[in-house]
């Protein structure tokens, strides 16, 4: 976390500043697209978004870290410990886990409903034992906690020009759309973890089952039926993006460029998957560098334009800072997205 971001957010206590910095580091390392979009927010709101991401990333690492040799029991114990820290942090601010300390502070500052965090951990816990989903409805229950609540957590930070309840549906849909995109992009890696998020009924409609997907992953062989099933999942994901789109206009104008940039870049992953003929079982699709540059710089232009009338409320006089921000954005655009949490 930069000193300017922390100062702008009114975070001054050294231990709390260190906790937020830890969250920012997690976002920068693992959430490349998300981190890039966050740079387009007003400076005083970035710390809160990093705290939300840091918590999600910490829980996800407990459950999904492929490099870890931890058993299911050990992962369960670690998640339970994180949950206990969360309860303490939200109750009285006492937590030794840095991401929990930052999260509790953000939740208090923005009045974020604590149920969203409990629902998220419940979905993370299910990942330890559930390895597949029979239908889209079954998957939807999981995604409420793992994705929809992420959008709902973000709303108080981003701000809205409508009643928050009106923006909640599109915000939840956007969280789900991002995660569905991750599921499609990462289907091969998830199979390596012993997990499949493509609903059994959806792929069965195209003559595909889990065994056939595993065969394709193992051998590198293609199958037109698998391609058809993946195309159907992508079509469903695009439908969810359309449901989320009206929510962009419901956000505080200074927050719209951030979420619009994330919207365009994440939906662009679907374009990249389609361009590679749905070869996601064999390689990870990445949005081309040139496309990321165009979207990121457009987002930067929109962010500076949106902030101009209210800059005196959000950050110090800019001086050369727009140019510095542009350099930061351009530097970050080419990094392939890897292991992101939605």
């Amino acid at each position: 976390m930069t000193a300017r971001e922390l100062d702008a957010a009114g975070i001054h206590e050294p231990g709390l500043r260190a906790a937020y910095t830890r969250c920012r580091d997690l976002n920068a390392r693992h959430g490349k697209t998300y981190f890039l979009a966050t740079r387009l927010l007003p400076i005083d709101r970035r710390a809160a978004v990093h705290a939300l991401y840091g918590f999600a990333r910490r829980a996800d690492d407990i459950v999904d870290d492929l490099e870890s040799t931890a058993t299911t029991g050990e992962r369960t114990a670690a998640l339970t410990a994180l949950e206990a820290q969360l309860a303490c942090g939200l109750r009285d601010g006492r937590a030794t886990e840095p991401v929990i300390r930052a999260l509790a502070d953000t939740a208090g500052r923005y009045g974020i409903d604590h149920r969203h965090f409990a629902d998220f951990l419940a979905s993370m816990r299910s990942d330890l034992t559930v390895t597949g989903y029979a239908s889209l409805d079954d998957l939807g229950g999981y995604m409420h906690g793992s994705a929809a609540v992420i959008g709902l957590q973000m709303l108080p930070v981003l701000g809205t020009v409508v009643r928050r309840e009106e923006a909640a549906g599109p915000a939840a849909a956007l969280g789900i759309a991002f995660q569905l995109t991750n599921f499609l992009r990462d289907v091969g890696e998830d199979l390596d973890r012993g997990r499949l998020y493509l609903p059994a009924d959806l792929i069965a409609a195209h003559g595909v089952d889990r065994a056939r997907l595993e065969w394709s992953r193992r051998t590198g062989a293609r199958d037109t039926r698998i391609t058809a099933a993946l195309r159907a999942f992508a079509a469903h994901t695009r439908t969810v993006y359309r449901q989320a789109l009206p929510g962009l206009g419901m956000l505080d104008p200074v927050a719209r460029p951030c979420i619009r940039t994330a919207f365009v870049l994440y939906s662009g992953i679907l374009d990249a998957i389609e361009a590679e003929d749905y070869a996601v079982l064999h390689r990870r699709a990445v949005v081309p560098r040139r496309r990321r540059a165009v979207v990121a710089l457009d987002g930067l232009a929109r962010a500076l334009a949106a902030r101009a009338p209210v800059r005196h409320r959000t950050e110090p006089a800019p001086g050369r800072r727009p140019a510095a921000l542009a350099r930061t954005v351009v530097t970050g655009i080419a990094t392939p997205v890897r292991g992101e949490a939605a």
Side-chain angles (χ1 to χ4, degrees):
M1 187 68 61
T2 68
R4 285 185 63 240
E5 289 171 335
L6 291 166
D7 291 342
I11 300 165
H12 303 299
E13 195 275 315
L16 192 56
R17 288 170 74 93
Y20 273 101
T21 299
R22 169 62 176 156
C23 293
R24 186 184 191 274
D25 290 345
L26 286 169
N27 197 353
R29 187 179 313 121
H30 298 288
K32 303 301 183 182
T33 296
Y34 202 65
F35 180 77
L36 169 62
T38 302
R39 292 287 296 162
L40 302 179
L41 279 175
I43 190 171
D44 59 329
R45 305 189 200 181
R46 296 174 198 165
V49 175
H50 292 315
L52 294 173
Y53 181 92
F55 168 67
R57 185 72 220 182
R58 179 70 182 95
D60 190 67
D61 281 346
I62 290 173
V63 172
D64 273 344
D65 187 359
L66 282 174
E67 297 181 3
S68 172
T69 59
T71 65
T72 298
E74 290 168 337
R75 292 176 193 265
T76 300
L79 199 61
T80 298
L82 187 70
E83 193 169 25
Q85 287 261 349
L86 175 65
C88 291
L90 293 177
R91 183 176 61 250
D92 54 27
R94 292 189 296 107
T96 58
E97 177 79 41
V99 298
I100 296 297
R101 187 170 183 193
L103 179 75
D105 183 71
T106 288
R109 288 171 186 266
Y110 288 94
I112 299 173
D113 192 333
H114 295 179
R115 290 177 297 180
H116 297 328
F117 307 124
D119 289 348
F120 176 78
L121 286 179
S123 285
M124 292 300 97
R125 189 175 296 277
S126 74
D127 272 337
L128 295 171
T129 55
V130 178
T131 60
Y133 294 87
S135 67
L136 276 172
D137 284 345
D138 291 334
L139 183 63
Y142 166 80
M143 286 192 299
H144 166 74
S146 62
V149 298
I150 303 299
L152 298 175
Q153 291 169 23
M154 288 281 290
L155 270 186
V157 179
L158 299 174
T160 63
V161 295
V162 300
R163 290 184 306 106
R164 193 179 298 171
E165 294 78 11
E166 185 179 345
L174 188 58
I176 290 171
F178 287 171
Q179 185 166 68
L180 288 171
T181 302
N182 283 345
F183 288 162
L184 185 61
R185 181 196 62 190
D186 300 340
V187 61
E189 294 177 15
D190 287 331
L191 282 173
D192 293 344
R193 297 183 177 99
R195 207 176 295 138
L196 178 64
Y197 293 104
L198 307 184
D201 62 349
L202 184 149
I203 62 176
H206 300 275
V208 178
D209 58 13
R210 187 188 191 113
R212 182 157 294 276
L213 294 172
E214 291 171 340
W215 162 82
S216 179
R217 174 70 169 172
R218 182 176 63 255
T219 65
R222 300 294 300 273
D223 186 317
T224 56
R225 292 170 294 182
I226 292 178
T227 300
L230 297 174
R231 185 180 293 115
F233 191 81
H236 171 70
T237 303
R238 291 190 187 279
T239 296
V240 181
Y241 274 107
R242 288 193 291 271
Q243 294 169 354
L245 183 59
L248 298 184
M250 298 178 185
L251 298 174
D252 184 339
V254 297
R256 290 174 196 168
C258 165
I259 304 305
R260 182 185 182 277
T261 297
F263 184 103
V264 174
L265 287 175
Y266 255 95
S267 59
I269 295 173
L270 295 179
D271 297 332
I273 290 170
E274 181 179 7
E276 295 185 4
D277 197 27
Y278 299 91
V280 289
L281 284 165
H282 312 120
R283 58 182 177 272
R284 173 181 279 235
V286 177
V287 177
R289 179 181 299 189
R290 184 182 298 274
R291 175 61 176 160
R292 290 170 64 85
V294 169
V295 173
L297 292 175
D298 175 69
L300 174 61
R302 290 171 182 269
L304 294 176
R307 264 183 260 173
V310 295
R311 181 168 287 126
H312 65 283
R313 289 193 287 109
T314 58
E315 59 182 301
R320 296 176 59 188
R321 283 171 185 152
L325 178 56
R327 287 194 296 273
T328 300
V329 170
V330 171
T331 299
I333 56 180
T335 308
V337 181
R338 187 76 182 174
E340 292 189 333

